[in-house]
Amino acid sequence: MSVRNLDKLFDPRSVALIGATPRPGAVGSLVTRNLRRAGFRGEVMLVNPQHAVIDGMPVYPSVAQLPHAPDLAVIMTPPQTVPGLIAELGERGTRAVVVITAGFAELGDHGRALQQAALDAARPHLLRIVGPNCVGLMAPAIGLDATFSHLAPAAGDIAFVSQSGAMITAMLDWAAPRGLGFSRIVSLGDMADVDFGDMLDLLAADPQTRAILLYVEGLRHGRKFMSAARAAARLKPVLVLKTGRSQSGQRAVSSHTGAVTGADEVYDAVFRRAGMLRVASMAELFHAAQTLALTREQQGDRLTILTNGGGAGIIAADAWAAAGGRLATLSDATVAALNRRLPATWSHGNPVDIVGDASGRRYADALAELIGDREVDAILVLNCPTALAAPEECAHAVCQSVAAADPAVLRGRNIITAWLGEQSARAARRIFAEARIATYETPESAVAALRHRLDYRRNRELLMETPPEPRPASAPDVAAVRRILAGARAAGKAWLDPVESGAVLAAYGIPQVTVHAARSADEAAAITSAIGFPVALKIRSPDIQHKSDCGGVALHLADADSVRREADAMLDRVRKARPDARLDGFFVQKMASRPGGTELLVGLAVDPIFGPLVAFGQGGVAVEVVGDTSLELPPLNLLLARRLMARTRVWQLLQGYRGKPAADIDAIAEVLIRLGQLAADHPEICELDINPLLADATGIIALDARVRVASAKAGKPAPMAIAPYPQELETVERLRDGTELRLRPLRPEDEPRLCELAEHMSPEDLRLRFFTPVRGLTHRVAARLSQLDYDREMGLLAERAGLALGVVHYFADPDGLRAEYAIAVRSDWQGRGVGFLMMTRLIDIAARRGIGELVGEVLRENEPMLQMCRELGFTIAPAPADPALMLVTKRLAGAAAGGGR
C-alpha cells in the first residue's frame, strides 16, 4: 500500500499534456480543452512534435525540451510510446502520470508486456501511474480536469473513484442538473499501479473529501484493499457498487463449503467487514451521491412521512419498515398543533396525510410542527401531482420551512423529499436542487437513500462494539497439524482421509465422533463391537468425497452381523456406481445420540484474492439446495461469530422453539473462531467443511469433516485479508528490580483493560498523555485503541497477574515511512521501568516491520518522558506549530534506505 507521490496527482503546480493536438474530436484535443476550460491555476505545457502552437499555446516537441519537469503528466500517445515517455519523465523528476491511452493488459500478452515495461520504467523513480485505459482525473477545486469528459463538475466534498470511465461521465451528467459537486474524481482504468487501496488511503486523509463513492469491477490485492478500506470507513462514509453479481463460470469445487461460496458472497463479506455500504444498482449509487452531498449525519431511525397522498405514504412506510426503520410516534403536543392547523380530514397519525388539496401553506404549517417534535429523527416529504395545487408551490414552501428552521434543532436530523411523477415534478426538483435539499423520484428511492445514512451510523457502532472474552480453551496443537499436512502433501494427497481430518479437528479442540479405519468387513465388525452400537459405516476411498451419493454410507447398524452384511453390500453398490474409484476398506463411527440436534455446516473456503473465509449455515445432505449460508473473514471473535450466524435462517432454529431449548450458541461460535485460527496457522489448507455439526443445548459435536490441502507445487496462497493476531510477539520480560510481567499485542477484547488502566492514572498523568484534562477513556476512544489493523498499527499491553500496567501504540502511515507512538503507564507503577521496557519492545517491532521512523509529541513540561526519549535515542526539537510541545523522533536502524515497507 502506498500514497507516496499521489499528492502530485491532485495538487500539481504544473501539468504536461503529451499528445495534445488541435484535431477536433481527438482525445488529445478534448483533454487540452477541458484543462483550459476548468481554469487550472497552474502551468500547462503541451507536447507534440508535429505542432508548434495549439490554440495560441506553445507546444514542445518532446519531454526532453520541456522547460522543467511537470508535477503531473497526462499521456495520450500510442501504447508503444508509453514506457519510453515514462522513463523520460521519471528521469526529469516527474512523479505522477495519468495514462489515458488504451491497448495494454486488456489486449493480451503483448499489451501486458507493454504495461509491465511502463511499470518497470516508473519504479526506479517512485513515479505513480493512474491507468492505463482510463478517462483521467479531476480536482474541481483547483480547476484540474485532465479528462475527456463532456462535462466539468462543480467543486464539492464527495470523491468518486471508478474502474469504468463510462460510469464517471454518467455520474457527472446525472449530477450536473442537481448541482452536486465533487472533491476528487478518478478513473482507474486497468489499475497497473494506483488502485482502490491507494485511493482509499489518500481520500481517508483528504480534508476536502467528506464521503467516498466507488465503482468496482474487480480487485487484485485483497489485504491491501481491506486495510485501506477499514481505515477509510472509520473516518467517513464509503459506498461501493460492485458489479458481477451473476458471474458465469464460477470455479467448480468439490466440497459443500466451496459449492455455496460464490465470488459475490465474498465481496459482500469484504465490504461488510470493512464497514463499507454496498449499493445494488447504478441508480442507487447516483442517489447515494446526492444523499451524501446534501444530507448530514443521521442520528436516529424514527421517521415521519408528510404526504398529500395516502397511498404514497403507505408505500414509504412499508419501505422504511423493510429497511429496519421505525415510524415516529408523534407527541401529543404535535398532534394537537396539527389538529389546529390542518383540516379535520388529515390522518391524525404517521404518515401525516394532509390530503390531496394540500397547498404550499398547508405543507409549511405541517412541516413546521414536525420539525419542532423531538420524537422525530427524520422527515420524508412526499407530493403526488393533482390539479388542486401546483407541485412547485409546495416545493417552495418546503424549502422556506427548512431554511427558517433553527440549525441546532436540525442537528443529527434530515429532511428529504420525493415529488412523484415526471412532467409536473421537474420544476419542483430544480427548486430543491437550488435549495440543496435532497430529492428523489419515488418513495422507495428516498427511503433507500436515508437508509444509507442510517446504515453508516449503525456500521460504525457495530465496528466499535467490544467483543466478550471467549471461553477458556487449551492452545491448539499447531505442530501436530503441520505434521499431518506435511505428510499428506509429501504423499501427493489432495484430501485428508477422515482419520486425518479428525486429528486436525482434535488438535484445535473441536468435539467430534471418533473415526476408525478398517481394511475389511470383518475388521469393521470387530471395531464396532469394541466401541459399541449403533454405528455408522462409510466407504473408504481417496477418490470419493461425497459418499452418500454413491451408496457409501449406512447408519444405525445395531450389531456386528449387520455391519458385515452392510459392508459387503456397500462394496457392491459403490463398485457399480464408481467403477473408477479405489476402495481401501471402511470407516466406522459410533452414532451420536442428539435427537433434538440441529444439523449445521461450518467450514473454510479460500478466495484467490481475499484468502480464507469462514462459512456457516444449515447443514445436511441438501445444503446446496437449502442455500442458507453466510461468510465472514477471519480472524473472528465471539461478536463476529454471532453476527455470522445471525445472518442465516437456521439462526432462528438455534434460538429454540415450541419447548425445544436453545442451542449452545457460544459453543458454535467457538468452533467458528477456531476455524479462523486454523486458517491463520495453516495457509496450506484450501478447503474444509464439517457437515453436519450437530448442535443442541448441551453443546456441539462434529460428525463428518473433509479437509483439502493445496499441492506442494501450487503457488503461494492468498494471505488472510485481515492480519491475524500476532501471537509470536507475546513475551515475558523482567523489570530492573526483577519483577516479571507479560507483554502482548492488544486484542479487541482488551477494551475494558484499557479503561481500567485509565481509571488508575491520576488526572495529571491523563493530562500529560492526552494534552488536555480528561476523565478516563470513552468507549469510542478505547475501542479505537484496542481494535487494531496489525499491518499498520501495533499496541502492546504490559500486564501482571491480569492487571494492566501500561500500554504503548504506534500508528503508521500507509507507506510505513513514519509511525506516531503513544504511551501510558498506570500511575502507581511509574518509575519502575515499565514505560522504558514497552518502548524498547515497540521500537524493535517497528524496526523489524520496516517502519522508517517513530515520532511523537510530548508536552514541554513532561520531563520524565523527555528523559526517557533521550535514553532511547530520540532526537528532540520544539514542535513548529505549538510552543507547548516538543517533537521527538527516532530513525529506526532496521528500516530500508528510503523508509517504508
Side-chain angles (χ1 to χ4, degrees):
M1 60 199 72
S2 177
V3 294
R4 197 175 311 179
N5 291 327
L6 292 187
D7 60 313
K8 304 299 183 187
L9 291 171
F10 293 108
D11 195 19
R13 292 167 297 178
S14 57
V15 178
L17 303 182
I18 303 173
T21 175
R23 182 161 50 89
V27 170
S29 173
L30 296 171
V31 176
T32 304
R33 178 204 68 186
N34 285 356
L35 191 58
R36 300 190 71 185
R37 178 184 66 186
F40 177 58
R41 300 169 187 170
E43 181 182 8
V44 177
M45 297 176 279
L46 309 184
V47 178
N48 190 323
Q50 299 176 8
H51 300 277
V53 176
I54 295 177
D55 198 18
M57 297 179 64
V59 182
Y60 300 92
S62 68
V63 169
Q65 291 173 276
L66 289 170
H68 56 83
D71 286 341
L72 172 65
V74 182
I75 298 178
M76 303 162 285
T77 57
Q80 63 271 18
T81 67
V82 171
L85 288 169
I86 287 177
E88 279 191 86
L89 288 162
E91 288 168 4
R92 291 213 61 184
T94 299
R95 293 296 176 259
V97 167
V98 176
V99 181
I100 291 178
T101 307
F104 290 85
E106 74 274 14
L107 294 185
D109 291 343
H110 176 67
R112 278 190 288 273
L114 271 179
Q115 186 164 300
Q116 187 58 50
L119 290 171
D120 292 342
R123 188 169 292 115
H125 311 290
L126 299 178
L127 184 150
R128 307 308 304 276
I129 300 173
V130 172
N133 188 22
C134 70
V135 167
L137 58 82
M138 301 175 176
I142 63 168
L144 177 63
D145 181 356
T147 75
F148 55 92
S149 169
H150 65 306
L151 289 173
D157 55 13
I158 308 298
F160 184 34
V161 184
S162 172
Q163 275 177 282
S164 165
M167 283 296 296
I168 295 282
T169 54
M171 174 67 83
L172 295 181
D173 202 89
W174 184 88
R178 292 164 174 82
L180 304 183
F182 297 87
S183 60
R184 319 285 190 209
I185 296 176
V186 189
S187 168
L188 293 177
D190 289 346
M191 296 194 303
D193 173 23
V194 176
D195 61 12
F196 283 105
D198 299 322
M199 288 307 306
L200 283 169
D201 274 326
L202 181 75
L203 295 170
D206 179 19
Q208 296 183 42
T209 297
R210 189 164 58 93
I212 303 168
L213 301 178
L214 306 179
Y215 171 81
V216 178
E217 292 173 354
L219 298 168
R220 294 178 188 146
H221 308 294
R223 186 143 166 178
K224 170 185 175 182
F225 174 84
M226 196 66 189
S227 187
R230 293 173 74 200
R234 280 173 174 169
L235 300 174
K236 53 193 71 172
V238 182
L239 276 76
V240 56
L241 172 60
K242 166 66 177 69
T243 55
R245 286 182 177 270
S246 57
Q247 212 171 14
S248 60
Q250 288 183 356
R251 58 190 176 92
V253 289
S254 10
S255 82
H256 291 302
T257 301
V260 298
T261 305
D264 198 58
E265 288 76 14
V266 172
Y267 277 102
D268 265 343
V270 167
F271 298 147
R272 181 173 53 242
R273 184 69 176 272
M276 305 166 80
L277 301 176
R278 185 174 187 179
V279 298
S281 67
M282 187 171 172
E284 195 177 358
L285 184 69
F286 288 174
H287 288 142
Q290 179 180 205
T291 305
L292 295 173
L294 301 182
T295 64
R296 56 185 65 81
E297 187 170 343
Q298 181 66 39
Q299 294 300 321
D301 69 343
R302 298 171 300 177
L303 175 68
T304 291
I305 300 163
L306 175 62
T307 179
N308 69 340
I314 293 170
I315 290 171
D318 286 346
W320 188 240
R326 298 176 293 164
L327 285 183
T329 300
L330 302 180
S331 69
D332 293 341
T334 297
V335 172
L338 292 174
N339 283 334
R340 289 191 299 270
R341 306 184 78 168
L342 299 179
T345 53
W346 82 280
S347 61
H348 298 276
N350 187 8
V352 179
D353 182 357
I354 56 177
V355 302
D357 64 347
S359 63
R361 179 72 265 166
R362 193 180 298 169
Y363 267 99
D365 289 344
L367 186 55
E369 298 299 338
L370 297 177
I371 289 173
D373 191 337
R374 298 308 298 176
E375 299 300 312
V376 174
D377 296 320
I379 302 171
L380 168 57
V381 186
L382 303 175
N383 179 270
C384 303
T386 74
L388 300 171
E392 57 268 31
E393 176 203 344
C394 299
H396 275 302
V398 169
C399 293
Q400 290 164 5
S401 294
V402 173
D406 184 349
V409 172
L410 292 178
R411 188 172 297 119
R413 307 161 80 200
N414 284 294
I415 300 171
I416 63 174
T417 67
W419 257 228
L420 280 57
E422 185 57 41
Q423 182 169 323
S424 61
R426 289 175 187 162
R429 290 173 187 153
R430 284 195 296 270
I431 292 167
F432 287 127
E434 290 169 1
R436 298 193 61 77
I437 294 175
T439 190
Y440 306 89
E441 287 77 15
T442 67
E444 296 94 335
S445 59
V447 163
L450 190 60
R451 191 195 71 228
H452 292 146
R453 276 293 184 195
L454 202 60
D455 285 348
Y456 174 64
R457 182 179 65 83
R458 287 172 174 169
N459 281 358
R460 284 203 306 178
E461 290 172 354
L462 289 173
L463 289 172
M464 291 192 299
E465 278 193 47
T466 306
E469 287 282 356
R471 295 175 177 177
S474 57
D477 191 343
V478 177
V481 175
R482 284 187 181 143
R483 288 192 296 270
I484 294 169
L485 300 180
R489 298 180 88 186
K493 292 168 60 174
W495 291 91
L496 303 187
D497 67 35
V499 173
E500 294 167 328
S501 296
V504 169
L505 299 191
Y508 278 74
I510 299 175
Q512 62 184 305
V513 178
T514 305
V515 180
H516 305 270
R519 291 183 294 272
S520 65
D522 286 338
E523 187 176 356
I527 291 172
T528 57
S529 296
I531 65 175
F533 296 96
V535 297
L537 181 73
K538 302 175 184 180
I539 199 68
R540 182 182 184 186
S541 170
D543 303 316
I544 300 173
Q545 294 305 314
H546 299 303
K547 302 173 180 60
S548 58
D549 293 350
C550 59
V553 177
L555 304 176
H556 302 291
L557 302 179
D559 53 50
D561 288 340
S562 299
V563 171
R564 289 191 189 90
R565 286 194 303 272
E566 186 54 42
D568 291 335
M570 186 178 290
L571 287 174
D572 289 340
R573 290 196 303 269
V574 174
R575 283 179 180 135
K576 290 176 183 177
R578 289 290 305 273
D580 59 318
R582 294 167 289 173
L583 304 182
D584 298 335
F586 308 92
F587 293 109
V588 292
Q589 292 173 284
K590 187 173 175 59
M591 291 292 299
S593 179
R594 297 285 181 95
T598 301
E599 290 190 334
L600 303 173
L601 163 74
V602 298
L604 293 172
V606 178
D607 182 80
I609 297 171
F610 294 102
L613 295 101
V614 178
F616 171 84
Q618 188 166 342
V621 294
V623 61
E624 292 96 345
V625 177
V626 173
D628 180 29
T629 56
S630 188
L631 300 173
E632 187 59 80
L633 293 168
L636 302 185
N637 53 44
L638 282 174
L639 201 58
L640 291 168
R642 281 175 167 268
R643 287 183 196 154
L644 168 60
M645 291 186 275
R647 290 193 294 269
T648 62
R649 297 188 301 276
V650 76
W651 169 256
Q652 298 300 324
L653 297 179
L654 296 173
Q655 307 309 303
Y657 59 95
R658 293 187 177 179
K660 180 180 176 180
D664 187 342
I665 298 296
D666 283 352
I668 306 169
E670 288 290 347
V671 172
L672 297 172
I673 293 169
R674 291 172 195 173
L675 288 180
Q677 184 62 49
L678 181 68
D681 294 338
H682 308 285
E684 60 270 46
I685 294 178
C686 56
E687 215 166 304
L688 179 151
D689 68 49
I690 301 172
N691 184 23
L693 179 77
L694 277 183
D696 62 14
T698 66
I700 51 96
I701 189 163
L703 302 190
D704 194 14
R706 283 184 290 276
V707 180
R708 185 161 69 89
V709 185
S711 165
K713 298 178 182 178
K716 188 176 180 181
M720 292 176 66
I722 298 174
Y725 176 77
Q727 192 165 0
E728 70 278 4
L729 298 182
E730 293 183 352
T731 60
V732 175
E733 309 283 351
R734 289 186 182 277
L735 299 177
R736 293 188 292 264
D737 62 5
T739 301
E740 191 175 88
L741 52 80
R742 182 186 181 208
L743 285 184
R744 62 168 178 82
L746 282 166
R747 300 189 302 262
E749 294 87 347
D750 286 322
E751 181 187 333
R753 294 181 179 85
L754 294 184
C755 293
E756 181 190 10
L757 173 65
E759 288 172 1
H760 288 82
M761 294 175 65
S762 68
E764 177 64 5
D765 285 339
L766 286 171
R767 185 187 69 81
L768 292 174
R769 164 63 180 85
F770 292 101
F771 302 168
T772 188
V774 296
R775 294 182 178 181
L777 299 181
T778 65
H779 162 65
R780 183 182 292 270
V781 171
R784 179 65 190 91
L785 293 175
S786 57
Q787 297 181 19
L788 302 175
D789 177 356
Y790 299 117
D791 274 335
R792 55 173 79 182
E793 302 165 344
M794 183 54 62
L796 295 177
L797 183 71
E799 59 183 359
R800 176 176 169 80
L803 187 70
L805 308 181
V807 66
V808 63
H809 288 84
Y810 74 65
F811 299 91
D813 62 36
D815 294 316
L817 294 173
R818 168 180 284 208
E820 294 185 17
Y821 85 88
I823 185 171
V825 177
R826 183 176 160 128
S827 295
D828 56 354
W829 276 75
Q830 291 182 12
R832 300 180 61 178
V834 176
F836 191 91
L837 181 66
M838 291 193 300
M839 280 298 298
T840 302
R841 180 74 174 130
L842 189 78
I843 290 168
D844 176 62
I845 292 170
R848 286 193 281 118
R849 292 188 166 205
I851 302 296
E853 62 181 13
L854 278 180
V855 299
E857 290 180 328
V858 181
L859 285 172
R860 186 183 292 269
E861 64 197 88
N862 193 353
E863 182 54 36
M865 177 62 70
L866 293 173
Q867 180 57 33
M868 184 180 75
C869 289
R870 294 185 192 100
E871 294 172 7
L872 289 167
F874 282 78
T875 59
I876 302 174
D882 190 341
L885 295 177
M886 302 298 287
L887 185 67
V888 299
T889 306
K890 182 175 177 63
R891 180 71 182 168
L892 301 183
R901 285 167 277 184

